[in-house]
Amino acid sequence: MRRDATPRRYLMCPPAHFKVTYSINPWMDPTKPVDLPLAQAQWEDLRDRYVSLGHTVETLVPDPALPDMVFAANGALVIDGRVLGARFAHPERGPEARIHLDWFRGHGYQDVHEPAHVNEGEGDFAVTASFVLAGRGFRSSPLSHAEAQEFFGRPVIGLDLVDPRYYHLDTALSVLDGDEVMYYPDAFSPGSRRVLRRLFPDALIADGRDAAALGLNAVSDGRHVLLPQAAAGLFGPLRDRGFEPVPMDLGELLKGGGSVKCCTQELRS
């Protein structure tokens, strides 16, 4: 099958102040030091790869008081130029929501919604051609699903996450193209697994090893799939489906519980 890449526009934030001084997910260990120059170099490699593939990258100015701002995907969900802001579950990240909203308003976005319920942007929302998939169980409130559906006018499908290592939907599921996805079944409740099988019977199923490498924290432009280099078990199945895996090393940022997708918010016009 021939795959065609579609130019995308992304919002990212450099890890100028990235560090792990608290723990709000199982990946974070404040006793493990972060190599900040290496984290910066890995982030720049990801940004430069997007640009080399023909995509546009916008950047947020990092705040010294907010070390997790590098995980820009969590700050909003943008569909058809409409912006659903975030409301973070943990106070350590709370101020990031306002920074994202200010950025959108300052860049000409007219339809910006400040949420009433906790949601962590693209961390727990994934957009397919037909649906908005919405994670719940660790961060985003189930009430945010109805809020998103009302705002965007798209069907929102709730999915229950049950493994704390996969605390956001974007650690357990990735949209490849249209209504094609890949996911790790054991991250979801039995009922949610049945929903996923019904909606996506031809999905690429990841195993535990690739999921544990955060291999599903990936970004696809419809042809190229940028994903952690340690998730090598996904490369062959992706190629079999006509995709081009692009392995990336974001090992330092993994210390904060994120990888390719966590660093990348898509600005869908």
Side-chain angles (χ1 to χ4, degrees):
M1 178 187 297
R2 175 178 171 78
R3 299 282 181 175
D4 294 318
T6 303
R8 310 293 173 107
R9 186 166 169 244
Y10 299 125
L11 179 63
M12 301 179 70
C13 182
H17 311 292
F18 176 64
K19 54 187 174 182
V20 179
T21 57
Y22 51 79
S23 180
I24 58 174
N25 68 59
W27 304 85
M28 301 177 80
D29 183 352
T31 67
K32 294 182 179 179
V34 169
D35 185 332
L36 187 56
L38 179 56
Q40 182 75 28
Q42 291 174 346
W43 180 90
E44 291 174 357
D45 187 33
L46 177 61
R47 177 203 58 196
D48 293 348
R49 189 64 60 95
Y50 286 140
V51 173
S52 74
L53 292 172
H55 306 306
T56 301
V57 176
E58 307 283 356
T59 55
L60 282 168
V61 176
D63 186 316
L66 299 169
D68 281 339
M69 270 188 70
V70 63
F71 302 126
N74 304 145
L77 174 65
V78 184
I79 305 175
D80 299 329
R82 311 185 78 204
V83 182
L84 174 64
R87 183 179 293 270
F88 286 87
H90 293 285
E92 291 89 344
R93 299 197 66 185
E96 294 180 41
R98 174 59 54 187
I99 293 173
H100 279 258
L101 288 174
D102 289 346
W103 187 90
F104 283 107
R105 290 177 174 134
H107 285 77
Y109 286 80
Q110 301 296 316
D111 202 347
V112 179
H113 177 71
E114 296 190 42
H117 303 290
V118 171
N119 84 75
E120 297 201 343
E122 286 195 310
D124 272 328
F125 287 120
V127 181
T128 78
S130 301
F131 311 104
V132 177
L133 306 177
R136 62 194 177 206
F138 296 102
R139 297 290 183 88
S140 296
S141 165
L143 297 174
S144 70
H145 299 181
E147 187 175 18
Q149 181 166 282
E150 187 66 22
F151 180 63
F152 291 116
R154 293 192 178 206
V156 174
I157 308 296
L159 299 169
D160 290 300
L161 298 164
V162 296
D163 185 329
R165 294 175 300 166
Y166 308 105
Y167 60 96
H168 272 154
L169 182 65
D170 71 358
T171 65
L173 181 147
S174 180
V175 179
L176 295 172
D177 189 33
D179 282 329
E180 292 183 75
V181 304
M182 59 180 180
Y183 67 94
Y184 175 51
D186 288 359
F188 298 93
S189 70
S192 293
R193 290 198 295 270
R194 290 194 295 271
V195 169
L196 287 167
R197 286 196 297 268
R198 181 181 295 271
L199 294 179
F200 310 108
D202 298 320
L204 194 166
I205 303 301
D207 65 20
R209 179 176 298 181
D210 291 321
L214 276 195
L216 295 161
N217 198 244
V219 172
S220 174
D221 63 12
R223 178 178 178 181
H224 310 97
V225 181
L226 286 73
L227 74 168
Q229 64 180 14
L234 292 172
F235 298 172
L238 285 168
R239 291 191 185 101
D240 290 344
R241 293 166 181 253
F243 295 101
E244 293 183 24
V246 181
M248 304 299 303
D249 181 6
L250 270 72
E252 284 306 296
L253 295 172
L254 183 60
K255 294 176 180 178
S259 190
V260 176
K261 177 56 191 172
C262 286
C263 294
T264 313
Q265 181 184 143
E266 185 168 351
L267 305 176
R268 300 174 186 84
S269 57

